[in-house]
């Protein structure tokens, strides 16, 4: 039973019950004395529970202060056995006795490492078992798995010689390819990610030598680069005993224990960018086979396998059969695992939890999801807001089902939206019906499309689930941002992830759902919203596709890739006339930037690689530096309608989200340290962008403290270099300057085109003259340092040769 009561003073979560009650005796099914220390569990809300299979509490002059609950725990849910005792005190000689017998389920206290309880939802215990125990209630001893015939562990791999000697003593026969060790999520493993990457050992696992066979691996899967990803086993080209991570011939999920039967295994797909536990079983006598992927069992299929090569192999020697994986351990057994042993193998793998860089953020009354581009016809099926990330799936593979819990935050009656079409109101996106949808079709008269929730009081949102409305081209490949507000007027994007909308089936039955949630969580630091890209014409990446979008521009594809944390590059369709299947305007995000031998002219593709962001330290200050060496001094993301003070002395860490600036004086630098200066701005008032650089000595001197002493219009009308996205009239048409600071009209065409960051205290302007702070703007100032190498410090011989490299080994 679980006996709950509240208390006022903090004590240890495990304590003597006598410290809580006066003269309290606990009598359990085991013999116990009044002096016995009994397990008492404390929960986050201060509630304490006494947990026992059979407990009786008796006492004279025993006081119960606060509410008292007596509950059984059954299948994870609780039920009251008695009325709540509110503010009741028993101070007479009458014996007070409370007794209950635990029914099946719940957590076994002595076997449980920790458990959770939520009084708000009446959802009891999620049991986290101690080592050696398993099951929903931690009542089942973890079964022993007998000694393996073969076992390799990543800790025994030697990088220099690509040697991997089994702990079980077999001889390694061959190592092929460039096999190296790596580490994922804190766990060491050995990588197999190219054709001809494989190792063979002297162990015959053919059906004659080993009629009963179990293969087991712990493997990190980075991607599924082809249609024939073979990992572990033995075969002679005849689809024999082999674990298949991704093979398009064995079912829609592409996992299986063999491709011999070419049948639908119905095993789940491997999780990408995650650890996987895989156990495959083969019985030649019964001619059956099946596979477990992360604890879920496939069908049992008929399979009569050939003898293979008489060697055990990890990896594959065949072209186009490589995986992109990293193996922590691989084992071979000559018996069939029980289902409990499969669980035990998974638990003993002890996969670390994925790092989420998660921060809960602040509380606000209004929250919404907004498309970054205007759409007059758009549909959303369902949105869920959560205050924590307990349900977050970073693999984005959770099948969307109607939500039966009460711990999501939204209330459909309090929804808000930009506009709606007829009866397709915003409440339909919060109604727990994932086959109905909100629609703004033909109703979006504003300049944006958004939908959200008025929580009426400030609420912290840490996790968002999103379901796109329809499988239409018009509904896919759009960037959705999460924003909050305290007045429903001024909105701020959260520090978390963005969502790129993906096509989903319009309606599905309850027995055949495949639509998965798209999910985002709040982050501790703002991701780089606007990275730069390097363009490689007629090049591409082979086999690391994430999802393809059609009918996009390069700029739209950049925005898509920038919003996807797993996107390292994107391919863009160009009409080169090649025989490949890509069309002009196709946007193909990639989880790899390895150009390899892919032919962009054949596939009609150009490649754009996301440039890495680097922060540098200059005299104790952390500054943002892009891949071209430009260092960010000033970044002001101004939200239209706001008029916040400028922040001097704080270096901006994001070019697109920052609101601060520093000058060279703050960094201990001088104008002599500067090679060139770069200016950028854009505004919501028009589509032009200002983006240029200059190496003028006078302008470089302005960076010392921001003051523009000696400024003239002629400094800006010539000698500047324009970047490819520059479309503004300034600086070339400048005819005036205001000699005060770089933030306040340092160059402009009077009454027509201005540069201003809180100029005259109220004006934010970029190549226009709105005269106020109504428009949203982004201003940046960068500088590039001169070379830190002094040529006079280098060795030069009598012939004029300067020494760059010398190693006496």
């Amino acid at each position: 039973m679980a006996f709950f009561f509240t208390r006022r003073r903090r004590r240890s979560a495990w304590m003597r019950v006598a410290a809580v009650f006066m003269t309290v005796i606990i009598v359990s099914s085991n013999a116990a004395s009044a002096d016995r220390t009994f397990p008492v569990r404390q929960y986050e809300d201060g509630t304490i529970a006494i947990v026992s299979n059979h407990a009786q509490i008796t006492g004279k002059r025993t006081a119960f202060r606060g509410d008292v609950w007596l509950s059984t725990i059954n299948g994870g849910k609780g039920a009251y056995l008695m009325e709540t005792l509110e503010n009741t005190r028993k101070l007479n000689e009458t014996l007070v006795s409370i007794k209950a017998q635990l029914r099946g389920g719940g957590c076994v206290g002595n076997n449980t490492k920790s458990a959770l309880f939520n009084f708000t939802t009446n959802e009891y215990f999620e049991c986290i078992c101690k080592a050696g125990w398993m099951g929903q209630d931690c009542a089942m001893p973890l079964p022993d798995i007998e000694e393996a015939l073969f076992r390799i562990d990543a800790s025994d791999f030697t990088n220099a010689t690509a040697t991997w000697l089994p702990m079980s003593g077999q001889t390694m026969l061959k190592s092929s390819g460039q096999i190296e060790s790596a580490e994922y999520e804190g766990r060491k493993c050995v990588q197999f990610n190219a054709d001809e990457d494989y190792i063979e050992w002297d162990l015959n696992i053919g059906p004659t030598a080993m009629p009963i066979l179990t293969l087991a691996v712990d493997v990190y899967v980075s991607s599924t680069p082809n249609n024939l990803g073979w990992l572990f086993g033995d075969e002679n080209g005849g689809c024999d005993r082999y674990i298949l991570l991704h093979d398009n011939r064995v079912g829609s999920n592409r996992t299986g224990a063999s491709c011999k039967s070419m049948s639908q295994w119905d095993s789940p797909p491997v999780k990408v960018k995650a650890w996987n536990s895989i156990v495959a079983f083969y019985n030649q006598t019964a001619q059956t086979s099946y596979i477990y992927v992360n604890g879920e069992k496939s069908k049992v299929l008929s399979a009569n396998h050939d003898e293979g090569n008489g060697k055990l192999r990890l990896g594959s020697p065949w072209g186009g059969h490589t995986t992109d994986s990293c193996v922590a351990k691989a084992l071979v057994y000559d018996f069939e695992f029980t289902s409990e042993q499969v669980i035990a193998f998974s638990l003993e793998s002890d996969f670390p939890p994925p790092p989420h860089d998660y921060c809960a953020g602040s509380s606000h009354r209004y929250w919404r999801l907004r498309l970054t581009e205007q759409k007059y016809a758009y549909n959303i099926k369902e949105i869920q807001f959560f205050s924590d990330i307990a349900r977050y799936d970073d693999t984005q593979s959770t099948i969307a089902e109607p939500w039966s819990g009460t711990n999501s935050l939204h209330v459909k009656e309090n929804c808000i939206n930009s506009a709606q079409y007829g009866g397709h109101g915003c409440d339909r996106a919060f109604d727990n019906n994932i086959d109905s949808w909100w629609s703004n079709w033909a109703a979006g008269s504003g300049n944006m499309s958004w939908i959200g929730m008025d929580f009426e009081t400030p609420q912290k949102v840490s996790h968002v689930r999103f379901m796109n409305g329809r499988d239409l081209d018009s509904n896919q490949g759009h960037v959705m941002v999460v924003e909050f507000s305290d007045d429903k007027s001024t909105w701020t994007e959260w520090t978390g992830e963005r969502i790129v909308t993906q096509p989903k089936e319009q309606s599905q039955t309850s027995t055949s759902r495949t639509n998965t949630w798209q999910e985002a969580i709040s982050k501790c630091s703002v991701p780089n919203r606007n990275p730069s890209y390097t363009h490689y014409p007629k090049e591409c990446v082979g086999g690391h596709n994430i999802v393809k979008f059609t009918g996009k521009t390069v700029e739209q594809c950049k925005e898509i890739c920038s919003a996807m944390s797993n996107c390292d590059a994107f391919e863009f369709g160009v009409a080169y006339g090649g025989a490949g299947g890509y069309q002009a305007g196709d946007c193909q995000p990639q989880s790899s930037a390895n150009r390899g031998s892919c032919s962009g002219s054949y596939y009609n593709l150009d490649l754009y690689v996301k440039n890495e962001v680097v922060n540098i330290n200059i005299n104790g200050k952390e500054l943002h530096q892009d891949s071209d060496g430009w260092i960010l001094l000033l970044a002001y993301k101004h939200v239209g309608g706001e008029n916040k003070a400028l922040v001097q002395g704080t270096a901006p860490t994001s070019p697109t989200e920052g609101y601060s600036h520093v000058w060279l004086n703050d960094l201990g630098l001088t104008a002599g340290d500067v090679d060139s200066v770069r200016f950028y701005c854009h505004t919501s008032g028009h589509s032009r962008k200002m983006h240029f650089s200059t190496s003028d000595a006078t302008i470089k001197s302005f960076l010392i403290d921001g003051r523009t002493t000696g400024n003239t219009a002629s400094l800006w009308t010539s000698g500047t270099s324009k970047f490819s996205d520059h479309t503004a009239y300034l600086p070339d048409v400048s005819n005036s300057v205001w000699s005060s600071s770089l933030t306040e009209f340092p160059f402009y065409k009077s009454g027509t085109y201005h540069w201003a960051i809180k100029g005259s205290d109220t004006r934010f302007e970029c190549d226009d003259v709105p005269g106020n702070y109504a428009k949203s703007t982004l201003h940046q100032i960068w500088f590039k340092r001169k070379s830190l190498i002094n040529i006079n410090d280098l060795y030069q011989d009598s012939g004029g040769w300067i020494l760059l490299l010398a190693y006496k080994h």
Side-chain angles (χ1 to χ4, degrees):
M1 95 173 203
F3 176 82
F4 299 95
F5 59 95
T6 57
R7 65 194 186 94
R8 295 173 182 157
R9 295 183 179 87
R10 274 184 80 85
R11 294 184 186 267
S12 169
W14 292 88
M15 58 189 291
R16 290 181 181 271
V17 175
V20 181
F21 293 98
M22 295 178 59
T23 324
V24 173
I25 300 174
I26 303 295
V27 182
S28 72
S29 55
N30 298 321
S33 69
D35 192 39
R36 177 183 173 187
T37 299
F38 200 81
V40 177
R41 187 166 289 113
Q42 178 187 350
Y43 299 92
E44 292 180 356
D45 64 356
T47 300
I48 293 175
I50 305 169
V51 183
S52 173
N53 281 345
H54 186 173
Q56 179 173 296
I57 301 175
T58 63
K60 292 183 178 181
R61 299 181 61 81
T62 303
F64 297 90
R65 294 181 175 86
D67 295 345
V68 179
W69 295 268
L70 181 64
S71 300
T72 58
I73 305 159
N74 189 357
K77 302 292 182 181
Y80 297 132
L81 293 189
M82 59 180 294
E83 294 293 328
T84 300
L85 304 176
E86 296 183 357
N87 302 317
T88 303
R89 184 183 295 257
K90 302 289 186 180
L91 294 176
N92 53 34
E93 297 297 321
T94 305
L95 175 69
V96 177
S97 179
I98 304 172
K99 182 177 180 179
Q101 177 68 45
L102 176 69
R103 296 196 294 270
C107 293
V108 178
N110 291 335
N111 305 342
T112 304
K113 181 165 60 175
S114 62
L116 302 177
F117 176 81
N118 186 333
F119 267 116
T120 303
T121 63
N122 286 335
E123 290 180 318
Y124 288 68
F125 299 120
E126 174 190 349
C127 309
I128 309 299
C129 303
K130 292 180 181 178
W133 297 93
M134 61 181 286
Q136 184 178 4
D137 56 1
C138 301
M140 186 185 302
L142 197 66
D144 291 330
I145 302 177
E146 298 175 25
E147 189 73 19
L149 291 180
F150 173 91
R151 173 167 182 159
I152 51 174
D153 190 278
S155 60
D156 297 318
F157 180 78
T158 303
N159 253 330
T161 57
T163 301
W164 205 354
L165 299 179
M167 302 168 67
S168 46
Q170 286 85 4
T171 302
M172 191 182 91
L173 301 176
K174 184 177 182 180
S175 175
S176 171
Q178 301 295 318
I179 302 172
E180 297 178 327
S181 64
E183 187 174 294
Y184 289 94
E185 297 177 3
R187 193 169 188 212
K188 186 177 179 181
C189 51
V190 180
Q191 292 201 123
F192 295 82
N193 56 9
D195 286 339
E196 304 297 323
D197 275 4
Y198 68 93
I199 299 177
E200 289 182 341
W201 295 272
D202 184 17
L203 179 65
N204 187 352
I205 62 167
T208 300
M210 205 175 297
I212 306 296
L213 171 67
T214 295
L215 301 176
V217 291
D218 286 346
V219 58
Y220 185 90
V221 179
S222 294
S223 70
T224 54
N226 52 49
N227 287 326
L228 301 170
W230 292 18
L231 182 64
F232 184 47
D234 181 26
E235 50 76 42
N236 59 6
C239 280
D240 298 316
R241 296 171 156 190
Y242 230 88
I243 289 178
L244 311 180
L245 293 188
H246 40 90
D247 190 313
N248 65 346
R249 299 169 298 176
V250 297
S252 57
N253 289 334
R254 307 204 300 169
T255 51
S258 167
C259 62
K260 189 73 174 179
S261 57
M262 302 294 185
S263 298
Q264 173 69 263
W265 286 79
D266 281 347
S267 49
V270 292
K271 295 183 293 185
V272 177
K273 294 192 180 300
W275 283 100
N276 294 262
S277 173
I278 301 176
V279 178
F281 172 70
Y282 312 83
N283 185 329
Q284 184 66 13
T285 304
Q287 296 188 0
T288 57
S289 183
Y290 56 85
I291 188 171
Y292 280 90
V293 179
N294 297 314
E296 186 173 339
K297 186 178 180 180
S298 72
K299 287 180 179 178
V300 178
L301 297 183
S302 298
N304 181 17
H305 294 114
D306 296 335
E307 292 296 331
N309 285 317
K311 304 169 186 176
L312 180 64
R313 184 191 301 131
L314 190 57
S316 176
W318 311 113
H321 285 61
T322 185
T323 64
D324 185 7
S325 65
C326 200
V327 177
K329 65 181 181 182
L331 304 96
V332 175
Y333 300 87
D334 61 355
F335 61 89
E336 180 181 4
F337 274 18
T338 65
S339 58
E340 291 80 11
Q341 287 173 321
V342 172
I343 296 173
F345 178 78
S346 300
L347 292 176
E348 288 181 346
S349 300
D350 194 26
F351 299 138
H356 288 317
D357 178 33
Y358 159 71
C359 285
S362 53
S363 298
H364 304 277
R365 173 173 174 174
Y366 302 96
W367 288 83
R368 73 181 184 184
L369 273 69
R370 176 179 63 85
L371 288 169
T372 59
E373 58 183 307
Q374 186 179 23
K375 291 293 294 181
Y376 290 116
Y378 198 76
N379 306 281
I380 294 176
K381 287 185 178 181
E382 198 72 10
I383 299 171
Q384 293 178 352
F385 293 111
F386 298 99
S387 61
D388 57 38
I389 62 168
R391 294 154 208 85
Y392 175 62
D393 177 6
D394 63 345
T395 68
Q396 310 279 308
S397 59
T398 298
I399 299 293
E401 296 284 355
W403 183 250
S404 59
T406 58
N407 48 1
S408 54
L409 302 174
H410 52 265
V411 178
K412 68 177 184 178
E413 290 79 10
N414 296 336
C415 69
I416 54 178
N417 58 213
S418 54
Q420 70 183 55
Y421 170 62
H424 295 264
C426 60
D427 60 310
R428 292 163 63 95
F430 298 99
D431 61 357
N432 200 28
N433 179 354
I434 59 175
D435 295 316
S436 66
W437 58 83
W438 164 74
S439 176
N440 73 334
W441 181 76
S445 58
N447 60 3
M448 64 183 70
S449 297
W450 57 265
I451 179 173
M453 186 63 54
D454 175 4
F455 290 110
E456 297 187 336
T457 59
Q459 177 62 57
K460 186 177 295 183
V461 173
S462 298
H463 174 201
V464 177
R465 279 176 170 172
F466 168 81
M467 173 63 65
N468 208 358
R470 287 175 156 183
D471 187 13
L472 300 175
D473 287 346
S474 60
N475 269 209
Q476 54 86 24
H478 305 299
V479 175
M480 187 81 71
V481 300
V482 181
E483 296 178 319
F484 57 78
S485 176
D486 294 312
D487 58 9
K488 204 179 174 183
S489 175
T490 300
W491 294 87
T492 303
E493 184 175 359
W494 74 344
T495 58
E497 300 166 323
R498 292 179 170 182
I499 294 172
V500 178
T501 63
Q502 297 181 14
K504 303 293 179 180
E505 292 297 324
Q506 181 168 334
S507 61
Q508 298 184 325
T509 66
S510 59
T511 58
S512 62
R513 297 197 184 278
T514 59
N515 284 339
T516 54
W517 289 113
Q518 291 188 253
E519 307 188 52
I521 59 172
S522 179
K523 294 284 189 175
C524 298
S525 56
V526 179
N528 183 18
R529 307 288 197 198
N530 189 27
S532 60
Y533 289 84
T534 300
H535 180 200
Y536 297 94
K538 296 186 178 181
E539 297 202 37
C540 49
V541 174
H544 294 268
N545 300 342
I546 300 175
V547 61
K548 186 177 80 170
F549 303 102
T550 59
K552 301 299 179 184
T553 66
V554 171
E555 291 303 313
Q556 287 174 327
C557 202
K558 285 182 180 179
E559 186 181 19
I560 288 171
C561 185
S562 300
M564 303 175 77
S565 60
N566 61 336
C567 181
D568 295 332
F570 67 87
E571 297 163 338
F572 189 78
V574 182
Y576 287 131
Y582 284 94
Q583 306 295 319
D586 284 352
C587 171
Q588 179 65 77
Q590 295 285 342
S591 61
S592 170
N594 184 2
R595 301 195 296 278
S597 58
C598 184
S599 170
S601 58
Y602 175 82
Y603 287 105
N604 303 310
L605 293 171
D606 281 359
L607 181 66
Y608 293 79
V609 175
K610 186 185 292 184
N611 295 320
E612 185 178 356
V613 176
V614 178
N615 284 339
I616 62 169
N617 187 294
I618 299 179
N619 296 328
K621 285 190 178 290
E622 289 288 325
L623 291 101
H624 174 92
Q625 182 180 38
D626 71 9
S627 59
D628 293 325
W630 289 101
I631 301 169
L632 186 64
L633 283 177
L634 176 149
Y636 279 97
K637 179 188 178 182
H638 161 69
V639 178
E642 295 181 354
N643 189 26
K644 298 191 297 186
L646 303 188
V647 181
Q648 182 170 347
T650 300
T653 57
S654 168
T656 57
E657 301 295 325
Y659 198 89
S660 65
H661 70 275
V662 292
W663 301 120
L664 297 180
N665 277 347
D666 300 309
L667 307 178
L669 300 179
T670 68
D673 295 309
V674 177
D675 174 77
S676 49
V677 189
R678 170 180 155 201
F679 295 83
Y680 174 90
C681 72
H682 68 245
T683 174
S684 61
H686 55 77
S687 61
R688 298 185 302 279
K689 292 182 180 180
M690 192 185 309
H691 198 183
F692 68 92
S693 66
T694 177
S695 297
D696 181 83
T698 303
I699 295 177
K700 288 192 290 186
S701 72
F702 298 163
L703 299 186
I704 296 173
D705 55 11
R707 297 177 183 175
T708 53
T709 303
N711 194 13
T712 64
S714 61
L715 297 176
W716 305 94
T717 55
S718 63
T720 61
S721 298
K722 311 302 191 296
F723 289 83
S724 61
D725 58 344
H726 175 85
T727 54
Y729 297 110
L730 292 177
D732 290 359
V733 298
S734 301
N735 61 11
S736 301
V737 299
W738 191 323
S739 296
S740 58
S741 76
L742 280 175
T743 61
E744 197 165 31
F745 315 111
F747 53 92
Y748 62 95
K749 181 176 181 180
S750 182
T752 311
Y753 307 115
H754 289 187
W755 163 288
I757 311 168
K758 200 173 169 63
S760 299
D761 196 49
T762 61
R763 296 168 63 171
F764 288 81
E765 298 170 342
C766 174
D767 209 43
D768 58 2
V769 189
N772 51 42
Y773 49 81
K775 302 299 182 182
S776 295
T777 58
L778 175 66
H779 288 79
Q780 301 166 356
I781 298 178
W782 308 68
F783 80 101
K784 187 173 285 190
R785 296 186 74 173
K786 285 185 176 179
S787 171
L788 299 180
I789 299 176
N790 187 335
I791 195 72
N792 296 320
D793 293 334
L794 300 178
Y795 175 83
Q796 185 176 24
D797 69 10
S798 58
W801 290 97
I802 299 173
L803 183 65
L804 290 179
L805 182 148
Y807 286 100
K808 179 182 179 182
H809 170 61

